[in-house]
Amino acid sequence: MTNPDANFLKGQKHLTRRYRAEQRFQWIGRIAIAASLTFLVFMVASIFWQGKGALITTKIALTVDLSTEMIDPANIKGASFDKIIKLALRTEFPEATKRKQKKRLYALVSSDAGFQLRDQILEGPALLGADQTIWVSASDDVDMLMKGHIDRNKPQNSRRLSDQQISWIDALLVKQVFNTGFFTNGDSREPELAGILSALVGSALSLLICFALSFPIGIMSAIYLEEFAKKGRWSDLIEININNLAAVPSIVFGLLGLSIFLNVFGLPRSSPLVGGMVLSLMTLPTIIIAARASLRAVPPSIREAALGMGASPVQATFHHVAPLAMPGFLTGTIVGMAQALGETAPLLMIGMVAFIVDIPGSILEPATALPVQIFLWADSPERAFLEKTSAAIIVLLIFLVLMNIIAIILRKKYEIRF
Amino acid sequence: MASDNMNTANSFNITSGNRSKFTETLVKAAMILCSLVAVAVTIGIVLSLIFEALEFFKRIPLSEFLFSTEWSPQTALRSDQVATEGKFGVIPLFTGTMLISAIAMCVATPLGLASAVFLAEYASKRTRDWVKPMLEILAGIPTVVYGFFAALTVAPFIRMTGGNVGLEVSSESALAAGLVMGIMIVPLISSLSDDVINAVPQAMRDASLGLGATHSETVKQVILPAALPGIAGSLLLAASRAIGETMIVVMAAGLAANLTANPLEAVTTITAQIVALLTGDQEFDSAKTLSAFALGLLLFIVTLALNYLSLRIVKKYREKYD
Amino acid sequence: MQKTPLITAKDVDVFYGTKQALDKITLDIPEHKVTSLIGPSGCGKTTFLRCINRMNDLVDICRVEGQIEIAGQDIYAPEVDVVALRAHVGMVFQKPNPFPKSIFDNVAYGPKIHGLVSTKSDMEEVVEWSLRKAGLWEEVKDRLNETGTGLSGGQQQRLCIARAIAVKPKVILMDEPCSALDPIATAIIEELIDELRKKFTIIIVTHSMQQAARVSQRTAFFHMGNLVESGATKTIFTSPQDERTQNYITGRIG
Ligand SMILES: Nc1ncnc2c1ncn2[C@@H]1O[C@H](COP(=O)(O)OP(=O)(O)O)[C@@H](O)[C@H]1O
Ligand SMILES: [Mg+2]
């Protein structure tokens, strides 16, 4: 046989062009993925970078006069602790004589310093009777200076601390310690005092309500739709409904909560009860969809076996099918709860944007939630709130990661294999 | 319960006992009630939105709401002030929403589609197994976090970059909100499109590769055209998500109701206005408060239409290849 | 055989993971003839066919050893380009798989990607030529812009044949091309195959002995990954050498 093009299988010239196009095409995909992931890494890293400072706070050592003249040991609480603090500062820096100077001097410590002094005395009354050195919180400006966010080289009228204030700080004994207050305090107008505990409790209470409502309702409707409902217009209608609800903007659920739960039912505004109810409506579709998938994964032979033993359909479902699908139910619920934990907009609608200092004690008291706290702090002008916001985001992300890890472990551990 | 219909040698009773029947009916009734909650929620949303919006349209005619180009819902702050009648023209909000969503889609469509194609067609199983969950993380991060990042990092960066090349960029620009929102919806597009691409039958790939097409030629000329309806469905869903997104725009886009197509200017959106109208002090029954529900109704209708369309398209597409 | 064969396979082993699907296949395939591959299900016919245009490269776990030469070139040699190879060794699949595009675009696809034609009128010519060769022209000439998936099963399969021949390959591989078709469509395609062998070399996998007897000049019988015997179709069907071949032909195994 004669072969006119003996090398017909080798790459021809125009093939190199086609292969270049092939390479280009693959690289477009790689670059797209890399771009999205780079954004993710950059965002998370920058937030961690900004937020890590909030874990540290600055304390100032003051020598306070705790003689009985200042504090009556029989009536400790009646003493004026603010005065003691101010006196201590004035004794340290007698040059501050003018009103304005004194004001600047007092601004070095947190407005909470008096209470901190009181708490330390109540804890250790032995301190009374003499001069003592105690540690109190510095103000947020001092804290920012210590963390390097205030530039000493700038002219003094373009930074928040004057030259004199900085020289006082340098003369004082200061230390940076772990900021427990961030985890044990409620919100505060003073950045150095603001903490996330009230928001965390608000979120926890809301999620509790959300779980108590959406788990049983979601599972029951999933079981009904998957195991009992006859395929027809009615079940189609419910199905379309669920799919649409899953895509309704979250803020619309907030409007529903405002107009029905608050205005029609008259439930307490800003309360975790209403917050949880609104969130449960949003997580319902997620739970139903996941639970149905998990029910579908249970092989029909299980149902047949149970029915064949004389179990009624309800018994077969609740005794045999549902327990096998339970890990799937839980996984779906945790994923739904994680969504609910990060949800902000609907909570704004029902008034959970309040400024909450106290830790909410019940589901009827005004509360806020962690993401809403983030929203509120993000709006505050003080530099110190920037790191608080970032730190609150870190806490939120850690909770979300934990919840998702639990969901993944559940899924892996109990994956139905038949 | 079991003893009721236990059949022994001398009693062959195949009718169910009353007690078991009763509990079964009860359980079934409870289940039906639970599955009606979803329907009730939809009805609740529709009724509450329509009811409050009707109140609003009693004060402000529908035509003014839909066609007027000015939005400034100022009403009296104190009772002794003369109430200046607010202006409730939804057009600037609508265009603002569309502008930001369009920017988001311009970012998300190429990134999401290219990622989906790479993951579905080229990536090894191992790469898929770690890249897909990584992309899903983007969808799991709360929107308030994106909003914070958009407002405090991206917006200043764009402003600075714009300033360096001599562009006037507003500190709350549509661009910052749109860009960040775009990244947020990348996983939505990529995972839906990935499913759609995987649903294209292997026979199509074989036919094309068997003719000597390269892999990318096969993807571009056979697979993507075949998957087009499904991809369109996923894009519609993503657009609906962008239109309904709230926190990013509240934090990064601002409240200035400008009628503009310039992405460097500040615009506001339907969702941002709803938040602005309903947070802070509100007198109920004022046109200002009620207008939030009219906006909510508009938002609900638009997103519902997009979702419905998207579900229909995707469903039809699925049927074609099943 | 007087002429050198177009395709020679020597000691071809194929593994899917650790499972061996073909064992030391040695087979010559002559030019301008129809060679049919027969044998019971799962014996490796499709696997062997897909070795010839390296479609098996697409299966990750598949490993091919041994040698396959086409016109004297080892197609598994490192310098060989699969895209170029497949342009010369076309394939028609078991189930008709037209692209969800117009009839015209289906046929034009191959010539377009390989850059075989440059002008629109040349393309029209190629499409018409291919459709005529595939015996489909008269049926579709008025609806070239309609989608290919709208045709009947038999028409779809002929469209796939037209699509394969449009790039003017040397070899056409057909994997049970009629198994999804009714008897009338099958008859049309069998006629077509006979016509096509004037220009192309055809290898066809078939389940039907009658079809092998009708369309092919040469036959190879596979059994459990082995090539049991091969030769002129007439010889195989009238006086098989191996007992297994005989059993299969007479319907005792299969
Ligand atoms: N993609 C694959 N992965 C694993 N095994 C395969 C694959 N394709 C085919 N096989 C195995 O190889 C053997 C031959 O298959 P095949 O070539 O399709 O047979 P035939 O076409 O003759 O029916 C069979 O045992 C089959 O199970
Ligand atoms: Mg086969």
Side-chain angles (χ1 to χ4, degrees):
Chain A
M1 195 197 99
T2 54
N3 196 353
D5 45 351
N7 278 334
F8 70 98
L9 296 184
K10 302 222 172 83
Q12 286 134 350
K13 209 168 72 202
H14 84 281
L15 258 180
T16 48
R17 204 190 63 229
R18 287 170 65 191
Y19 278 126
R20 264 207 305 276
E22 172 76 35
Q23 286 305 317
R24 252 199 322 272
F25 191 69
Q26 290 189 25
W27 273 107
I28 291 174
R30 288 197 189 96
I31 290 168
I33 292 174
S36 310
L37 294 186
T38 308
F39 181 95
L40 172 68
V41 169
F42 184 71
M43 181 167 84
V44 173
S46 86
I47 288 172
F48 265 79
W49 184 252
Q50 285 168 352
K52 68 176 181 2
L55 296 180
I56 307 272
T57 188
T58 306
K59 299 263 181 186
I60 295 181
L62 287 180
T63 308
V64 287
D65 175 11
L66 299 184
S67 60
T68 41
E69 284 158 46
M70 303 297 294
I71 300 176
D72 175 9
N75 180 18
I76 296 178
K77 284 184 183 172
S80 172
F81 297 97
D82 272 344
K83 251 190 201 149
I84 302 176
I85 297 282
K86 284 177 181 168
L87 180 66
L89 283 164
R90 276 204 313 274
T91 346
E92 191 87 34
F93 303 108
E95 70 269 27
T97 45
K98 290 199 212 88
R99 230 178 96 83
K100 226 174 181 174
Q101 277 179 324
K102 283 193 209 163
K103 216 173 143 198
R104 289 223 186 96
L105 179 61
Y106 301 153
L108 294 183
V109 298
S110 164
S111 60
D112 190 48
F115 294 104
Q116 294 178 2
L117 173 61
R118 187 192 67 178
D119 290 348
Q120 288 176 43
I121 294 172
L122 287 176
E123 225 167 77
L127 291 172
L128 287 182
D131 283 3
Q132 300 285 355
T133 303
I134 56 135
W135 291 96
V136 295
S137 289
S139 73
D140 61 315
D141 289 335
V142 175
D143 191 36
M144 287 297 105
L145 179 78
M146 295 304 295
K147 286 172 182 165
H149 298 308
I150 292 181
D151 189 356
R152 287 165 183 260
N153 301 324
K154 272 191 183 169
Q156 73 166 340
N157 46 11
S158 65
R159 56 174 137 79
R160 288 177 65 101
L161 291 172
S162 69
D163 288 341
Q164 193 176 34
Q165 278 176 309
I166 291 182
S167 71
W168 285 332
I169 295 164
D170 292 339
L172 278 166
L173 183 59
V174 295
K175 67 172 178 182
Q176 291 186 300
V177 295
F178 182 74
N179 187 1
T180 45
F182 182 68
F183 299 99
T184 55
N185 295 348
D187 196 5
S188 169
R189 305 257 184 244
E190 307 299 332
E192 74 273 14
L193 302 176
I196 53 169
L197 187 62
S198 58
L200 269 181
V201 172
S203 272
L205 291 175
S206 305
L207 281 194
L208 210 65
I209 300 293
C210 173
F211 176 80
L213 289 173
S214 59
F215 184 72
I217 296 180
I219 301 304
M220 290 290 261
S221 41
I223 292 179
Y224 177 72
L225 290 173
E226 205 51 45
E227 305 283 326
F228 294 97
K230 290 189 189 65
K231 293 277 162 272
R233 279 177 56 196
W234 191 226
S235 67
D236 277 356
L237 176 77
I238 297 178
E239 179 134 21
I240 290 173
N241 247 298
I242 291 169
N243 285 336
N244 274 330
L245 278 185
V248 167
S250 60
I251 194 169
V252 172
F253 288 95
L255 290 175
L256 169 81
L258 169 59
S259 105
I260 295 197
F261 296 156
L262 297 187
N263 293 341
V264 178
F265 295 170
L267 294 172
R269 202 177 136 81
S270 311
S271 66
L273 174 66
V274 178
M277 286 168 77
V278 170
L279 291 178
S280 75
L281 302 185
M282 301 184 48
T283 42
L284 207 51
T286 312
I287 295 181
I288 295 178
I289 291 168
R292 290 185 67 179
S294 151
L295 285 168
R296 244 174 275 144
V298 178
S301 60
I302 304 278
R303 296 177 187 88
E304 282 154 15
L307 294 174
M309 301 267 301
S312 71
V314 170
Q315 286 171 330
T317 303
F318 282 87
H319 296 169
H320 300 282
V321 180
L324 286 174
M326 190 51 90
F329 294 170
L330 291 178
T331 316
T333 308
I334 294 172
V335 171
M337 291 293 129
Q339 272 172 21
L341 176 59
E343 204 51 73
T344 320
L347 300 182
L348 301 183
M349 298 293 94
I350 55 150
M352 281 182 90
V353 272
F355 171 68
I356 307 290
V357 180
D358 300 323
I359 316 301
S362 84
I363 53 168
L364 298 175
E365 285 173 26
T368 183
L370 194 49
V372 181
Q373 187 72 73
I374 291 168
F375 168 66
L376 288 171
W377 281 349
D379 237 11
S380 309
E382 287 96 338
R383 174 66 179 73
F385 271 121
L386 179 65
E387 67 177 33
K388 296 274 165 187
T389 316
S390 302
I393 290 177
I394 296 171
V395 172
L396 178 63
L397 292 182
I398 288 175
F399 273 105
L400 291 179
V401 167
L402 284 180
M403 289 169 91
N404 281 296
I405 287 178
I406 293 174
I408 290 169
I409 291 175
L410 262 179
R411 193 177 299 156
K412 284 256 151 69
K413 194 162 176 197
Y414 295 99
E415 208 163 38
I416 307 177
R417 282 190 212 91
F418 295 103
Chain B
M1 204 166 6
S3 66
D4 280 301
N5 43 14
M6 177 94 74
N7 31 344
T8 54
N10 50 5
S11 81
F12 183 68
N13 181 8
I14 54 170
T15 60
S16 65
N18 277 339
R19 209 176 55 188
S20 101
K21 210 171 185 178
F22 178 69
T23 31
E24 301 241 323
T25 318
L26 211 67
V27 170
K28 269 193 188 161
M31 286 193 296
I32 292 176
L33 256 155
C34 286
S35 41
L36 287 183
V37 169
V39 183
V41 173
T42 309
I43 294 175
I45 289 175
V46 172
L47 283 187
S48 64
L49 289 181
I50 288 183
F51 183 77
E52 312 273 5
L54 280 181
E55 279 301 303
F56 172 73
F57 291 128
K58 273 183 201 155
R59 291 155 212 227
I60 310 289
L62 179 63
S63 58
E64 186 191 325
F65 179 69
L66 288 182
F67 301 118
S68 155
T69 58
E70 199 175 329
W71 177 269
S72 54
Q74 303 310 329
T75 39
L77 294 176
R78 295 192 313 271
S79 50
D80 57 320
Q81 277 182 330
V82 182
T84 49
E85 193 57 66
K87 298 238 168 61
F88 294 94
V90 82
I91 287 186
L93 310 193
F94 197 76
T95 53
T97 306
M98 289 304 145
L99 177 63
I100 291 182
S101 304
I103 296 170
M105 291 304 286
C106 285
V107 173
T109 306
L111 287 181
L113 273 184
S115 307
V117 167
F118 186 81
L119 288 175
E121 295 288 330
Y122 289 104
S124 65
K125 191 178 169 315
R126 266 190 51 209
T127 314
R128 268 179 84 88
D129 280 354
W130 72 265
V131 170
K132 277 194 82 148
M134 289 282 284
L135 283 178
E136 295 301 325
I137 293 178
L138 280 173
I141 289 182
T143 54
V144 69
V145 179
Y146 283 102
F148 173 71
F149 188 68
L152 279 104
T153 309
V154 178
F157 176 76
I158 292 177
R159 196 173 148 81
M160 197 187 73
T161 318
N164 285 346
V165 297
L167 281 173
E168 180 80 32
V169 184
S170 147
S171 64
E172 293 175 321
S173 63
L175 190 58
L179 277 178
V180 172
M181 195 191 284
I183 299 284
M184 185 193 76
I185 53 181
V186 163
L188 190 69
I189 295 182
S190 76
S191 74
L192 287 173
S193 305
D194 190 354
D195 291 348
V196 165
I197 291 170
N198 278 321
V200 175
Q202 183 61 30
M204 293 290 125
R205 288 182 185 83
D206 284 349
S208 173
L209 295 169
L211 279 168
T214 64
H215 201 152
S216 65
E217 286 161 353
T218 304
V219 172
K220 280 187 275 196
Q221 300 187 35
V222 176
I223 296 176
L224 287 182
L228 197 62
I231 290 174
S234 76
L235 294 185
L236 283 182
L237 207 63
S240 138
R241 190 57 213 285
I243 290 170
E245 170 49 38
T246 307
M247 292 320 291
I248 296 179
V249 290
V250 167
M251 296 170 81
L255 294 170
N258 292 327
L259 187 56
T260 172
N262 179 357
L264 303 179
E265 273 182 53
V267 295
T268 190
T269 69
I270 297 176
T271 50
Q273 284 300 323
I274 295 177
V275 169
L277 292 164
L278 291 183
T279 51
D281 300 321
Q282 40 172 301
E283 336 93 83
F284 218 72
D285 268 7
S286 79
K288 193 179 153 194
T289 310
L290 290 171
S291 69
F293 288 90
L295 291 178
L297 183 63
L298 181 68
L299 181 68
F300 182 70
I301 292 172
V302 171
T303 52
L304 190 72
L306 284 175
N307 294 336
Y308 181 72
L309 209 63
S310 146
L311 282 177
R312 284 263 318 244
I313 293 176
V314 172
K315 201 167 163 215
K316 247 200 167 143
Y317 170 80
R318 288 263 155 76
E319 281 162 2
K320 192 167 129 198
Y321 287 128
D322 273 348
Chain C
M1 225 188 302
Q2 314 93 323
K3 279 168 117 194
T4 34
L6 178 66
I7 305 174
T8 57
K10 220 185 291 162
D11 291 336
V12 175
D13 287 328
V14 178
F15 302 87
Y16 289 107
T18 53
K19 184 176 175 280
Q20 186 161 12
L22 288 180
D23 185 15
K24 296 267 175 295
I25 305 296
T26 300
L27 180 65
D28 289 344
I29 288 160
E31 200 171 14
H32 295 312
K33 293 227 160 62
V34 178
T35 302
S36 59
L37 310 181
I38 60 170
S41 263
C43 67
K45 307 178 297 287
T46 299
T47 301
F48 182 68
L49 200 70
R50 288 167 66 99
C51 285
I52 301 173
N53 70 345
R54 290 182 57 177
M55 285 299 272
N56 278 337
D57 289 15
L58 302 174
V59 181
D60 286 336
I61 55 169
C62 181
R63 188 159 52 84
V64 180
E65 284 170 12
Q67 205 176 29
I68 299 178
E69 288 185 354
I70 300 183
Q73 289 189 58
D74 179 2
I75 62 167
Y76 282 89
E79 72 271 17
V80 166
D81 189 288
V82 283
V83 167
L85 169 67
R86 290 181 192 144
H88 290 95
V89 186
M91 191 159 191
V92 176
F93 297 82
Q94 195 162 349
K95 254 181 75 189
N97 55 358
F99 299 131
K101 297 166 176 272
S102 72
I103 294 170
F104 184 93
D105 287 343
N106 262 282
V107 182
Y109 181 73
K112 198 171 87 194
I113 56 172
H114 292 299
L116 298 181
V117 291
S118 40
T119 67
K120 198 159 170 280
S121 62
D122 283 355
M123 184 61 90
E124 279 164 4
E125 215 166 278
V126 170
V127 170
E128 181 177 342
W129 178 86
S130 311
L131 286 169
R132 276 192 195 284
K133 274 270 175 257
L136 195 59
W137 177 252
E138 292 303 324
E139 289 158 67
V140 300
K141 65 171 187 247
D142 299 324
R143 43 177 178 146
L144 291 175
N145 289 325
E146 286 174 30
T147 130
T149 42
L151 298 171
S152 75
Q155 288 174 323
Q156 286 191 12
Q157 196 61 301
R158 276 181 283 152
L159 178 61
C160 292
I161 293 174
R163 187 175 66 185
I165 62 181
V167 292
K168 311 222 168 90
K170 289 183 164 15
V171 183
I172 302 174
L173 310 174
M174 297 184 168
D175 189 359
E176 303 191 32
C178 304
S179 65
L181 305 182
D182 60 69
I184 296 172
T186 303
I188 295 173
I189 294 207
E190 285 180 7
E191 234 171 85
L192 176 61
I193 290 172
D194 203 48
E195 176 69 27
L196 287 174
R197 85 179 160 95
K198 291 177 191 154
K199 273 202 91 77
F200 309 101
T201 301
I202 294 172
I203 307 176
I204 179 171
V205 170
T206 172
H207 237 91
S208 140
M209 243 71 60
Q210 291 86 339
Q211 186 170 59
R214 281 194 301 265
V215 302
S216 70
Q217 289 75 50
R218 300 192 62 84
T219 296
F221 173 65
F222 284 67
H223 186 251
M224 293 175 69
N226 294 301
L227 175 63
V228 175
E229 65 179 296
S230 64
T233 302
K234 256 196 208 118
T235 330
I236 297 276
F237 276 83
T238 51
S239 52
Q241 302 297 305
D242 195 287
E243 200 185 340
R244 286 169 293 179
T245 321
Q246 191 164 9
N247 286 345
Y248 183 70
I249 289 166
T250 53
R252 263 171 279 172
I253 54 172

